[in-house]
Amino acid sequence: MKIKSELSNIISDALKSANIESDDVVISDATKPEFGDYQFNGVMKLAKILKQNPRQIATNLVEHIDTTGMIAKVEIAGPGFINIWLNDEWLAKEATAILTDDRVGVGYVENPKKVVVDYSGPNMAKQMHVGHLRSTIIGDTLATLLEFLGEDVVRQNHIGDWGTQFGMLIAYLEEQGADGATTELKDLEQFYKDAKVRFDESPEFADKAREYVVKIQGGDKHCLTLWQSFIDASLGHCEEVYDKLGVNLTRDDVRAESFYNPKLADVIKTLKEKKLSTVSDGAECVFLDGSEVPVIVQKGDGGYLYATTDLAALEYRAKELKADRICYVVDARQGQHFKQVFTIAKQAEMVGENVALEHIGFGTMMDKGGKPFKTRDGGVIKLIDLLDEAVVKAKESIKERDAHTEDELENIATVVGIGAVKYADLSISRESNYIFSWDKMLSFEGNTSLYMQYAYARIQSILRKYDGEIKGNIIIGDETEHRLAHLLLKFEDTLSKAATDATPHTITSYLYDVVTQFMKFYELNPILKGGIDEEVKMSRLQLAKLTASVIKKGLDILGIEVVDKI
RNA sequence: GCGCUUGUGGCUCAAUUGGAUAGAGCAUCAGACUUCGGAUCUGAGGGUUAGAGGUUCGAGUCCUCUCAGGCGUACCA
């Protein structure tokens, strides 16, 4: 249900019949309940353009607004705000209509676009750590969301599998007589450290490592086999994490750095042809206007750089994958890099003019003291350890509650623990740094996954208790039901905003609103208690059921599961 | 030095992109129930939106300066 655009149409029509010239009509949510459900603030702007009194324009406009359908009434307030109230019967009818819809009233986008979402991007030389969490979760949510709305989504996992450190790693792998399947690679972090020690202590080994770098790049069979087995093992670690996180990334989504390697020479060629790059201090550089520091695309020794690979990837995504929109879910600190690369790609016509290039930046995860999140001894926190800890902590907090079997407990703890980590991350506007706190994320109170999951479980409990066929229409009986039904119908507007702005926290705060509104409704309007009219009982059961559906679907898009009992 | 970015009650975060009296949750205090799972609900106190100017009907949001933090800045990714 696209409420805003329908309202916008109604207002546009009214403007037309009132003979008022105007461009796009923007409808906002009302800032307070006294101001109704929505408001149109455009009159003040129009007044300025038309040099007329805003109250006068508003009066004229209001007379032409159709209040026979979805709108119950409109009022003029303040300097020229137009407040809009939705009609109860309309709400009831629309809410009833989506009861049996498995998309809970959410339609598909009109013109599906090809959207590439680049996220996760782990480095194969190292184990995934907390730094990869945000990219992986935000990216996956964005991809799932866009897909749900009907966009044609292509996931891209741009893994780091190319570079000098791999010479060292495969030389060490060979020396250990191991292949990727052996236990030697169980702990990548340790393996890297061991290899580094060997590299520093033995000149022969170091030479061999350097030689292997060249050999991989030259396509040497033996080295490539070693390299491949190393990458496979490392990817296996990532997949373990993806599996625990419930993230939809597969090997098909992997487009590694190495994939672009053969294309890099062409990138330089293009840049030279377009006269965008020049040689400076022996390196091939692009000087963007106003900047004295260049973007280096080829080193003095002929080697390529980060920017070069990203340019190749951009071109591939625009031309081969035919993307209309390319989203990079990468740490905000790389903002300048992407700004530069995007500019170069457009200037060099590697991507078309109308392809949207977006850096979906996010802040750093901090500890309680506001410092980057590390282990006690200052090391990086492995993602897998973090997730396991979340499950253990969740189990502790649930254990004290009702008796569960061991299996149930394990399952609930997993759903709750992983959900808490993801929700905590997604519920904060992504640009800012965020403070990681176990206590906060595992709390049942406030805007947390547990609060939503708990509300869901409670509704399920009501539905179980009723244990009969739920049928009949939703009826709006009071203000709490009006607001609840309205919120439930706002699901689509919420999702499309989250999709265009790439802001998952829009969804979490919406869900939080839904749940708190449900709690208020439920507090005032008993469902199963005695003395309730059958029709009213059915309506309330339906509202409860619909609320549960929205919670479930919403969390589902965020990659968070629910359980019937907690 | 230059560039980017952030600054919102004690704490953690919002604010529909320039709209009305800046909203939530923790924490604090005060209430509600012989619990449709109280891990709930109702209410109160707590703010010069870092500071100073400016733009206009209207600014947390836009422009300038100052202060404080973070990040980036010629051959890592």
Side-chain angles (χ1 to χ4, degrees):
Chain A
M1 173 90 277
K2 294 185 173 78
I3 302 183
K4 279 194 183 172
S5 74
E6 295 210 11
L7 285 175
S8 163
N9 288 339
I10 293 176
I11 302 293
S12 291
D13 289 348
L15 283 165
K16 251 177 242 160
S17 35
N19 276 320
I20 304 169
E21 290 249 358
S22 149
D23 21 302
D24 287 352
V25 170
V26 179
I27 302 291
S28 318
D29 289 355
T31 49
K32 277 168 195 275
E34 307 94 88
F35 299 153
D37 297 310
Y38 290 96
Q39 53 182 255
F40 172 59
N41 304 329
V43 170
M44 275 89 76
K45 266 174 215 150
L46 284 172
K48 192 183 266 178
I49 299 165
L50 304 173
K51 297 195 167 79
Q52 285 178 30
N53 180 340
R55 293 287 298 204
Q56 216 161 38
I57 298 177
T59 314
N60 183 12
L61 171 62
V62 162
E63 276 167 21
H64 291 86
I65 294 175
D66 175 13
T67 51
T68 59
M70 71 190 288
I71 298 177
K73 63 164 177 172
V74 289
E75 270 178 13
I76 305 166
F81 297 101
I82 293 179
N83 296 334
I84 302 167
W85 279 261
L86 295 177
N87 180 293
D88 278 350
E89 274 104 63
W90 180 85
L91 278 175
K93 191 185 84 210
E94 294 296 328
T96 303
I98 60 171
L99 282 170
T100 52
D101 179 6
D102 61 355
R103 293 177 62 84
V104 276
V106 180
Y108 293 92
V109 288
E110 280 170 34
N111 305 305
K113 287 186 181 123
K114 174 85 91 170
V115 187
V116 169
V117 184
D118 177 316
Y119 66 103
S120 195
N123 187 327
M124 292 296 106
K126 298 197 178 142
Q127 206 126 346
M128 284 183 87
H129 56 82
V130 288
H132 298 107
L133 184 64
R134 302 204 80 185
S135 173
T136 306
I137 292 177
I138 295 170
D140 198 56
T141 293
L142 184 60
T144 310
L145 171 63
L146 291 168
E147 221 157 37
F148 180 68
L149 293 176
E151 307 281 18
D152 187 1
V153 175
V154 183
R155 294 171 162 81
Q156 294 279 279
N157 192 359
H158 190 83
I159 64 170
D161 67 343
W162 209 243
T164 48
Q165 71 262 59
F166 290 96
M168 176 179 89
L169 291 167
I170 63 168
Y172 189 66
L173 187 68
E174 185 184 51
E175 196 170 271
Q176 297 293 302
D179 57 38
T182 66
T183 53
E184 294 299 326
L185 281 178
K186 222 176 196 161
D187 189 335
L188 267 177
E189 221 59 37
Q190 196 54 47
F191 187 86
Y192 189 94
K193 275 183 201 156
D194 294 345
K196 184 85 171 83
V197 168
R198 191 79 184 93
F199 186 87
D200 292 337
E201 75 184 6
S202 161
E204 298 94 70
F205 179 82
D207 283 345
K208 192 171 189 185
R210 280 187 279 267
E211 179 194 329
Y212 274 21
V213 176
V214 180
K215 279 194 170 180
I216 307 173
Q217 307 207 342
D220 176 84
K221 261 231 174 88
H222 172 66
C223 284
L224 275 179
T225 310
L226 279 169
W227 172 77
Q228 192 61 56
S229 69
F230 183 88
I231 299 300
D232 282 345
S234 188
L235 251 184
H237 288 302
C238 296
E239 278 158 356
E240 205 181 318
V241 172
Y242 294 156
D243 193 49
K244 283 200 186 197
L245 272 174
V247 159
N248 297 305
L249 273 173
T250 66
R251 298 223 168 183
D252 290 342
D253 303 318
V254 171
R255 281 291 175 286
E257 278 172 20
S258 59
F259 173 82
Y260 299 104
N261 196 48
K263 305 172 193 292
L264 300 180
D266 284 344
V267 170
I268 305 299
K269 205 175 137 201
T270 307
L271 292 175
K272 281 182 179 164
E273 276 170 13
K274 304 263 178 194
K275 302 207 185 315
L276 285 166
S277 68
T278 50
V279 177
S280 171
D281 281 355
E284 194 69 26
C285 298
V286 179
F287 287 89
L288 292 169
D289 46 44
S291 172
E292 293 187 9
V293 187
V295 178
I296 301 178
V297 289
Q298 189 171 23
K299 297 194 282 187
D301 67 1
Y304 302 109
L305 291 148
Y306 184 30
T308 330
T309 312
D310 269 337
L311 285 169
L314 272 166
E315 186 166 34
Y316 171 77
R317 289 161 186 187
K319 290 186 178 159
E320 303 288 324
L321 298 178
K322 305 200 184 315
D324 300 304
R325 179 183 179 193
I326 308 175
C327 300
Y328 284 84
V329 187
V330 181
D331 195 305
R333 284 174 286 195
Q334 296 191 35
Q336 288 105 301
H337 164 75
F338 281 108
K339 207 177 265 179
Q340 291 168 340
V341 168
F342 291 166
T343 309
I344 297 172
K346 292 250 168 171
Q347 284 180 0
E349 293 171 315
M350 289 170 157
V351 298
E353 218 173 305
N354 43 8
V355 178
L357 303 178
E358 296 172 34
H359 171 213
I360 314 294
F362 53 82
T364 314
M365 232 159 96
M366 303 295 199
D367 62 17
K368 268 186 202 149
K371 302 214 177 72
F373 201 52
K374 297 262 170 74
T375 56
R376 280 182 208 89
D377 56 1
V380 288
I381 296 173
K382 287 182 207 153
L383 198 40
I384 199 110
D385 294 345
L386 182 97
L387 297 178
D388 289 343
E389 193 176 346
V391 174
V392 169
K393 285 195 193 286
K395 196 189 271 180
E396 275 165 23
S397 96
I398 295 160
K399 213 159 43 182
E400 300 148 21
R401 282 180 66 80
D402 298 333
H404 295 102
T405 66
E406 196 52 38
D407 279 358
E408 274 173 352
L409 186 64
E410 192 62 40
N411 179 46
I412 296 169
T414 306
V415 169
V416 166
I418 302 294
V421 170
K422 295 179 88 170
Y423 194 94
D425 200 315
L426 293 168
S427 62
I428 280 157
S429 77
R430 56 177 169 75
E431 295 276 9
S432 50
N433 292 346
Y434 100 98
I435 311 251
F436 187 93
S437 154
W438 286 117
D439 290 346
K440 201 187 152 206
M441 75 175 69
L442 284 168
S443 166
F444 272 80
E445 291 163 337
N447 189 4
T448 65
S449 58
L450 254 165
Y451 183 73
M452 314 298 147
Q453 287 167 328
Y454 178 71
Y456 179 84
R458 260 177 99 173
I459 295 174
Q460 294 312 306
S461 166
I462 297 166
L463 300 178
R464 270 198 303 275
K465 194 164 239 170
Y466 175 69
D467 192 30
E469 194 195 345
I470 301 171
K471 54 187 180 188
N473 298 336
I474 288 173
I475 309 157
I476 306 297
D478 70 356
E479 193 60 27
T480 64
E481 294 184 350
H482 175 100
R483 286 191 204 155
L484 181 58
H486 177 205
L487 269 170
L488 295 171
L489 288 169
K490 273 164 91 166
F491 195 32
E492 179 164 13
D493 278 348
T494 304
L495 293 184
S496 61
K497 181 174 162 48
T500 44
D501 298 350
T503 50
H505 84 281
T506 318
I507 302 175
T508 60
S509 58
Y510 164 77
L511 289 176
Y512 184 61
D513 284 346
V514 167
V515 170
T516 49
Q517 190 53 48
F518 176 79
M519 291 296 185
K520 285 175 190 170
F521 148 76
Y522 173 79
E523 198 75 15
L524 281 169
N525 301 323
I527 299 176
L528 297 179
K529 282 185 177 165
I532 298 164
D533 187 76
E534 190 64 16
E535 210 182 18
V536 173
K537 182 195 278 185
M538 281 303 169
S539 164
R540 291 178 185 171
L541 277 167
Q542 295 282 38
L543 267 173
K545 210 173 144 189
L546 189 57
T547 303
S549 304
V550 168
I551 296 172
K552 187 175 184 193
K553 194 80 219 171
L555 289 178
D556 185 43
I557 288 167
L558 301 172
I560 296 169
E561 293 179 65
V562 289
V563 282
D564 288 349
K565 281 186 194 169
I566 289 181

